[in-house]
Amino acid sequence: MSDLFKKITSHCKEYGFIFQSSEIYDGLSATYDYGPNGVELKNNIKDYWWHSMVKMHQNITGIDAAIFMHPKTWKASGHVDAFNDPLIDNKDSKKRYRADVLIEEYMEKIENKINKEITKAKKRFDDFDEKMFRETNNRVVENQKKIDAIAARLAKAMSDGDMADLKAQIEEYEIPCPVSGSRDWTEVRQFNLMFNTQLGNIAGEEGKLYLRPETAQGIFVNFLNVQKTTRQKIPFGIAQIGKAFRNEIIARQFIFRMREFEQMEMQFFVKPGEEMKWYEYWKETRLNWHLALGTSKEKYRYHDHDNLAHYANAAVDIQFEFPFGFRELEGIHSRTDFDLKSHQELSSKKLQYFDPQENANYTPYVVETSIGLDRMFLAMISNAYTEETMTDDQGKTSERIVLKLHPALSPVKCAILPLLKNKEELTTAAMDVFNKLKSHFLCQYDEKDAIGRRYRRQDAIGTPFCVTIDFDTLENGTVTLRERDSLEQKRMPIDALAQEISSQIALHNVLQ
Ligand code: GAP
C-alpha cells in the first residue's frame, strides 16, 4: 500500500466511515462495515445515481429484486459454467493467486519502467513531447512492444480458457510468488466465484442456491413484468441498486475488491442493430455523470476490454486513478440478447417485446451500465482526501486534513458550533439554530473543544458548512457561515441559512 492509501484507510476508520467487519474477532477478510459517516456518504452516492437514472429519464424505472434467485437463473446466465477465475498456488508460501493478475502485475512492472524513463526525460527537456518520446525512445518502444504482446497472449488464453498457457506464461516471465519469492507453482485451475448455500426444505443439488454475483439477472427475469406494468416502449431501461457476492480469490486494496459489495446497474433494452449507438451514448453519459461532481478529467480514462465476458459483444471500463493506479470503476457492456434468450430457453417462457412500429416481436438487445458503489465510495474519498497548510492573518501556519467532497455527497452538511461551551445563552441559541435546520439536511451540533479543533473535525469528514454562534448572534440574530474549501466566513441572518445551504448542497446542481 502506498503511504497515501494507508492514510486514507486509517482516516476512514478514525472518522467513522469504514470498519473492518467483525473486528473484535480479528476481522473477516474483504468484508467491511460502513460507519455513521460512511453510510451517509454511501447513501448520497446512491441518491445521485438513482436520481440521474430514474428521475432524469422518463424511460428508466427502478426495481429491487431479491438476492436469492431460482438456481436455473445462474445456469442460463452462464455463471455456473463460465464465471471463473484462474487460480494458482505457490507451493512454498501456500498462498493462492489469480494467474491473470500475476501476469497483469508483471505488465505493470514493465509499465513502471516506461513511466520512469518518461519522468527522467521530462526533467531533462523543457519542451518535452511525451507522444514523440514514446514513439522514438528505444527502451520505451521495446518495453511497450513487450506489454502489447503479453496483453494479447493473456487475452487469448483467458477467452480460450487455456489454463496451460497461463501457467506457461508465469514460468516464461519467471514471475515469483510475492510472499516467498519462489517460482514453485501448482497448475492453474478454474475456480467458480459464486457463493452457494442450501434451501432448508430441499436436500442435495436441487436445493442449492447461489448468492447473486451481479444484480443484473434480477432485471432480466423481470423484464416483461416491468415492461407490461409500466407500458414502456423500446428503448427503455431498468435500474437497480443492491448487494452482490463474489468469492474473490484475492481480495485486497481495502474496499476495492470485496466478497460482499453493492452494485448500481442499469439494463437498457434496445432494438437489435441499434445497440452500438446506445453503447456509445451510455459510454459518454456515464463519464459525464462522474465529471459533473467536479473531479478532474485526468482522473478518468476509458479502457476497452481485451477479453470479453461470455455475454458481451463490446465492453469498456471507465477507469479511475486510485492511489494504487488506474483501475476499473464502472463497466459499460453491450450484452446482446444473450441473457434474455438464455432465460427464454431455460424457462420456456417467452421474453419478447412486441414492437408496434415494426408490427413484430423480437428479443431486445441490452446495453448495461454497471458501477460498484463501494468502488465509487473509494474513488470519491481518495479524490477528496487533502492535506493542507493554512496561514492565518498573523502569518501563523497550521495543518489540516480536509475531505473536499462535493457538497451533495458530504455526509454532514452543516455543523452548528456555539463559540463557547460554558455560556448557556450561546449553547441555547446554537441548539435553536440546530432545531431550525435539522429537518432540511443532516446537521451536527458540537460544543466540545476550542472552535479551531471543531472546525478541523468537520473538515476531516468533509462538512461543507460550519455555522458559529457568538455574542453578536444574541444581539442581532446573525451567525458566521464558514465554507470548508475557501475558508471564507460571512455573516448572515439565521433565517437565511436554510436556503443558502440548501441551494449549495442540492443534487440538482449536478444532475444533467
Ligand atoms: N453486471 C455486470 C458486472 O457485474 P463487472 O465488471 O463484473 O460487471 C461491475 O462488475 C462493477 O462492479 C465493477 O466495475 C466494479 O465497480 C464492481 N465490482 C465488481 N467486483 C467487485 C468486488 N469484488 N468488489 C467491489 N466491487 C466490485
Side-chain angles (χ1 to χ4, degrees):
M1 272 205 228
S2 70
D3 272 358
L4 172 64
F5 194 37
K6 274 188 203 149
K7 283 181 187 172
I8 291 169
T9 52
S10 53
H11 190 87
C12 281
K13 179 170 181 202
E14 189 180 344
Y15 286 94
F17 284 92
I18 297 172
F19 308 123
Q20 174 75 61
S21 158
S22 329
E23 198 185 54
I24 58 166
Y25 295 104
D26 297 332
L28 178 68
S29 80
T31 35
Y32 290 91
D33 300 336
Y34 285 83
N37 288 319
V39 71
E40 295 296 336
L41 172 54
K42 202 174 170 195
N43 284 341
N44 293 339
I45 296 173
K46 280 191 210 179
D47 271 359
Y48 176 39
W49 186 87
W50 193 262
H51 270 71
S52 71
M53 284 293 179
V54 176
K55 300 199 174 164
M56 299 297 285
H57 292 93
Q58 267 192 317
N59 61 348
I60 300 181
T61 50
I63 62 163
D64 183 14
I67 288 173
F68 288 138
M69 300 183 70
H70 194 286
K72 279 187 181 171
T73 310
W74 305 109
K75 187 72 190 156
S77 68
H79 285 82
V80 171
D81 299 317
F83 194 54
N84 301 318
D85 273 345
L87 71 83
I88 189 165
D89 294 303
N90 182 269
K91 290 184 190 161
D92 295 311
S93 67
K94 312 275 181 250
K95 293 274 174 209
R96 181 161 285 183
Y97 300 94
R98 261 175 65 179
D100 56 329
V101 171
L102 285 177
I103 298 169
E104 276 166 10
E105 285 173 352
Y106 176 71
M107 287 195 283
E108 257 171 46
K109 281 193 184 145
I110 309 178
E111 176 97 48
N112 287 343
K113 284 187 192 164
I114 296 181
N115 291 338
K116 268 193 193 151
E117 295 281 351
I118 292 172
T119 315
K120 261 199 289 176
K122 260 187 194 159
K123 284 187 191 148
R124 255 184 290 139
F125 307 110
D126 286 342
D127 53 349
F128 180 68
D129 180 341
E130 184 174 328
K131 188 167 174 283
M132 175 147 42
F133 185 76
R134 280 181 179 275
E135 284 164 5
T136 52
N137 178 281
N138 285 341
R139 276 193 297 268
V140 171
V141 171
E142 279 312 306
N143 278 329
Q144 190 57 53
K145 266 193 202 154
K146 254 193 220 169
I147 293 177
D148 295 343
I150 298 170
R153 186 168 163 193
L154 175 61
K156 182 163 176 4
M158 291 295 286
S159 50
D160 294 352
D162 188 346
M163 299 297 108
D165 190 52
L166 288 177
K167 170 82 187 287
Q169 290 187 53
I170 288 172
E171 283 174 345
E172 260 173 56
Y173 310 143
E174 300 186 344
I175 298 175
C177 165
V179 173
S180 65
S182 119
R183 296 194 182 92
D184 198 0
W185 296 107
T186 61
E187 295 307 308
V188 180
R189 304 185 302 289
Q190 293 279 29
F191 175 77
N192 192 288
L193 296 184
M194 282 196 294
F195 281 104
N196 60 57
T197 184
Q198 193 70 29
L199 267 178
N201 57 350
I202 305 174
E205 272 299 299
E206 289 279 285
K208 191 170 174 183
L209 282 189
Y210 295 100
L211 296 185
R212 66 181 178 198
E214 62 169 7
T215 56
Q217 297 305 325
I219 294 180
F220 287 122
V221 299
N222 277 299
F223 154 72
L224 269 192
N225 285 337
V226 175
Q227 193 273 324
K228 285 191 171 143
T229 50
T230 58
R231 297 182 317 284
Q232 288 283 2
K233 292 200 170 51
I234 270 178
F236 74 92
I238 306 177
Q240 177 171 214
I241 300 177
K243 290 263 184 177
F245 303 83
R246 295 184 189 178
N247 199 356
E248 299 282 358
I249 299 166
I250 41 158
R252 52 181 181 175
Q253 288 162 328
F254 194 35
I255 55 168
F256 181 80
R257 196 176 299 285
M258 298 153 89
R259 297 202 167 99
E260 174 182 341
F261 57 100
E262 238 170 309
Q263 288 186 318
M264 305 191 285
E265 297 200 300
M266 194 278 299
Q267 316 299 127
F268 201 67
F269 299 88
V270 304
K271 201 166 148 183
E274 292 193 350
E275 70 274 14
M276 289 320 286
K277 179 180 90 183
W278 289 109
Y279 174 72
E280 291 304 327
Y281 169 85
W282 282 109
K283 206 174 140 178
E284 194 187 326
T285 305
R286 291 304 302 151
L287 183 60
N288 287 339
W289 181 86
H290 291 281
L291 297 177
L293 288 170
T295 316
S296 147
K297 217 174 169 176
E298 277 65 53
K299 287 269 175 190
Y300 296 92
R301 71 181 186 195
Y302 289 122
H303 174 77
D304 286 315
H305 282 208
D306 301 317
N307 173 31
L308 289 178
H310 57 275
Y311 48 72
N313 68 357
V316 66
D317 291 338
I318 295 178
Q319 293 189 332
F320 179 79
E321 191 178 17
F322 290 95
F324 38 85
F326 274 98
R327 295 283 188 286
E328 173 184 350
L329 169 60
E330 168 155 15
I332 293 111
H333 311 126
S334 170
R335 288 183 77 131
T336 66
D337 55 359
F338 174 88
D339 300 87
L340 287 181
K341 274 217 166 124
S342 307
H343 286 306
Q344 188 165 270
E345 269 165 35
L346 213 64
S347 67
S348 308
K349 303 275 174 357
K350 207 167 154 193
L351 288 177
Q352 289 200 326
Y353 170 77
F354 176 73
D355 190 327
Q357 273 170 341
E358 302 282 323
N359 197 24
N361 282 307
Y362 56 76
T363 308
Y365 270 44
V366 172
V367 175
E368 164 187 77
T369 75
S370 173
I371 176 167
L373 175 56
D374 312 85
R375 272 192 204 175
M376 181 63 188
F377 186 109
L378 184 59
M380 288 302 94
I381 212 140
S382 328
N383 188 57
Y385 182 91
T386 314
E387 291 173 355
E388 257 181 14
T389 304
M390 297 175 304
T391 312
D392 69 13
D393 297 343
Q394 281 84 48
K396 219 174 114 200
T397 59
S398 59
E399 309 293 324
R400 72 164 178 166
I401 293 174
V402 52
L403 287 189
K404 294 192 172 180
L405 290 165
H406 190 287
L409 298 188
S410 293
V412 176
K413 306 300 184 191
C414 177
I416 321 290
L417 315 172
L419 187 62
L420 300 169
K421 179 185 173 182
N422 47 11
K423 290 277 177 221
E424 205 186 325
E425 58 273 41
L426 291 182
T427 55
T428 308
M431 234 14 221
D432 284 348
V433 174
F434 175 81
N435 286 328
K436 270 203 167 96
L437 296 181
K438 69 182 182 191
S439 62
H440 293 269
F441 33 73
L442 189 61
C443 298
Q444 221 171 57
Y445 173 86
D446 188 5
E447 58 176 30
K448 193 170 174 284
D449 298 322
I451 194 79
R453 286 188 70 175
R454 282 181 274 165
Y455 283 152
R456 288 301 89 79
R457 275 204 289 271
Q458 295 301 329
D459 289 343
I461 62 168
T463 306
F465 297 103
C466 288
V467 169
T468 310
I469 286 84
D470 55 20
F471 291 103
D472 286 349
T473 313
L474 308 178
E475 298 283 313
N476 59 17
T478 64
V479 291
T480 51
L481 182 69
R482 171 192 182 265
E483 200 273 327
R484 180 195 67 201
D485 298 348
S486 65
L487 296 172
E488 259 171 31
Q489 302 207 11
K490 60 180 177 189
R491 264 211 105 80
M492 61 161 45
I494 290 170
D495 288 344
L497 281 173
Q499 204 190 0
E500 168 76 16
I501 298 172
S502 297
S503 71
Q504 306 225 30
I505 61 167
L507 254 189
H508 78 78
N509 294 332
V510 274
L511 289 170
Q512 303 164 344

